[in-house]
């Protein structure tokens, strides 16, 4: 049992390398979503919300996260989206790990804090994590905000389509 969990975690981490999680390029196009990064950056610069850096950006990811007022929330959302993309690719490409993968996801779902015990934004991220772990049936969310969760899940599940790239994960985060 421990070996199966180790194999799932190791495969997930190796898949980030194999499927390009660290190859994000701000200027590169994407496949599934409309590219909004450049327009968002232009708007933020024009509004003064984002300061142009004299020496440029250290990384393209830093440039991407500068598009958000709440970088931690953006980082959390991006991690969920990118992990969903990677998990989908692993399941598609490595059939031999599917059973262990499903068991590990079920175990992870059981350990998680309930969304109704969290602040609303954290609960949104938690529900997206649950959806990414095939645990949509375990989501708890106020009905008055159902539309927000539904749009978020639609963007999250779109990343599962064939051909999705790291740049699509960025656009899904923006969406």
């Amino acid at each position: 049992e421990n070996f199966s969990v180790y194999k799932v975690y190791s495969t997930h981490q190796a898949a980030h390398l194999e499927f390009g999680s660290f190859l994000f390029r701000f200027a590169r196009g994407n496949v599934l979503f409309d590219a909004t990064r450049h327009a968002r950056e232009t708007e933020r610069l024009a509004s003064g919300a984002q300061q142009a850096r004299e020496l440029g950006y250290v990384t393209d990811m830093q440039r991407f996260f500068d598009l958000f007022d709440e970088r931690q929330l953006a980082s959390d959302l991006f991690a969920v989206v990118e992990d969903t993309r990677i998990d989908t690719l692993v399941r598609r490409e490595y059939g031999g790990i599917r059973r262990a993968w499903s068991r590990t996801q079920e175990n992870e779902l059981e350990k998680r804090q309930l969304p109704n015990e969290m602040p609303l934004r954290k609960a949104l991220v938690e529900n997206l994590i649950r959806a990414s772990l095939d645990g949509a049936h375990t989501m708890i969310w106020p009905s008055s905000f159902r539309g927000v969760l539904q749009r978020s899940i639609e963007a999250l599940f779109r990343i599962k389509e064939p051909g999705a790239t790291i740049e699509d994960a960025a656009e899904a985060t923006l969406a």
Side-chain angles (χ1 to χ4, degrees):
E1 191 77 22
N2 286 341
F3 180 71
S4 290
V5 172
Y6 175 76
K7 194 165 56 170
V8 167
Y9 289 162
S10 298
T11 301
H12 177 83
Q13 292 305 318
H16 277 289
L17 293 170
E18 180 175 352
F19 299 120
S21 292
F22 304 107
L23 300 177
F24 174 76
R25 296 296 172 260
F26 193 91
R28 186 172 32 219
N30 44 289
V31 177
L32 301 177
F33 290 85
D34 292 334
T36 61
R37 297 184 296 277
H38 300 285
R40 175 93 178 242
E41 183 178 53
T42 300
E43 288 172 13
R44 287 183 61 79
L45 287 169
S47 71
Q50 181 177 342
Q51 299 295 318
R53 298 178 191 269
E54 292 178 30
L55 300 176
Y57 290 95
V58 175
T59 68
D60 285 333
M61 285 307 301
Q62 179 186 25
R63 182 178 175 189
F64 172 70
F65 286 122
D66 277 352
L67 299 178
F68 298 89
D69 289 330
E70 297 185 37
R71 289 175 67 104
Q72 185 59 56
L73 177 61
S75 177
D76 292 345
L77 290 171
F78 180 80
V80 173
V81 172
E82 181 58 6
D83 280 349
T84 300
R85 184 180 79 89
I86 295 302
D87 291 352
T88 301
L89 288 166
V90 168
R91 284 190 199 147
R92 193 176 294 145
E93 299 293 324
Y94 299 109
I97 199 166
R98 286 186 193 134
R99 185 175 300 136
W101 202 275
S102 292
R103 271 196 317 270
T104 302
Q105 285 186 320
E106 288 170 15
N107 290 338
E108 289 300 318
L109 273 171
E110 291 173 9
K111 297 177 192 175
R112 301 195 65 81
Q113 182 182 357
L114 293 173
N116 62 336
E117 299 171 351
M118 302 175 176
L120 195 58
R121 289 181 183 178
K122 190 173 181 181
L124 173 64
V125 174
E126 176 59 30
N127 278 316
L128 291 175
I129 291 169
R130 289 169 176 276
S132 76
L133 295 173
D134 296 331
H137 62 282
T138 67
M139 293 189 301
I140 301 169
W141 188 249
S143 59
S144 57
F145 293 105
R146 184 172 291 139
V148 172
L149 181 61
Q150 184 176 348
R151 285 187 303 277
S152 299
I153 290 173
E154 287 169 3
L156 178 68
F157 283 1
R158 191 157 178 219
I159 204 70
K160 293 181 174 189
E161 294 179 25
T165 64
I166 183 70
E167 288 79 18
D168 285 307
E171 290 298 334
T173 302
L174 281 164

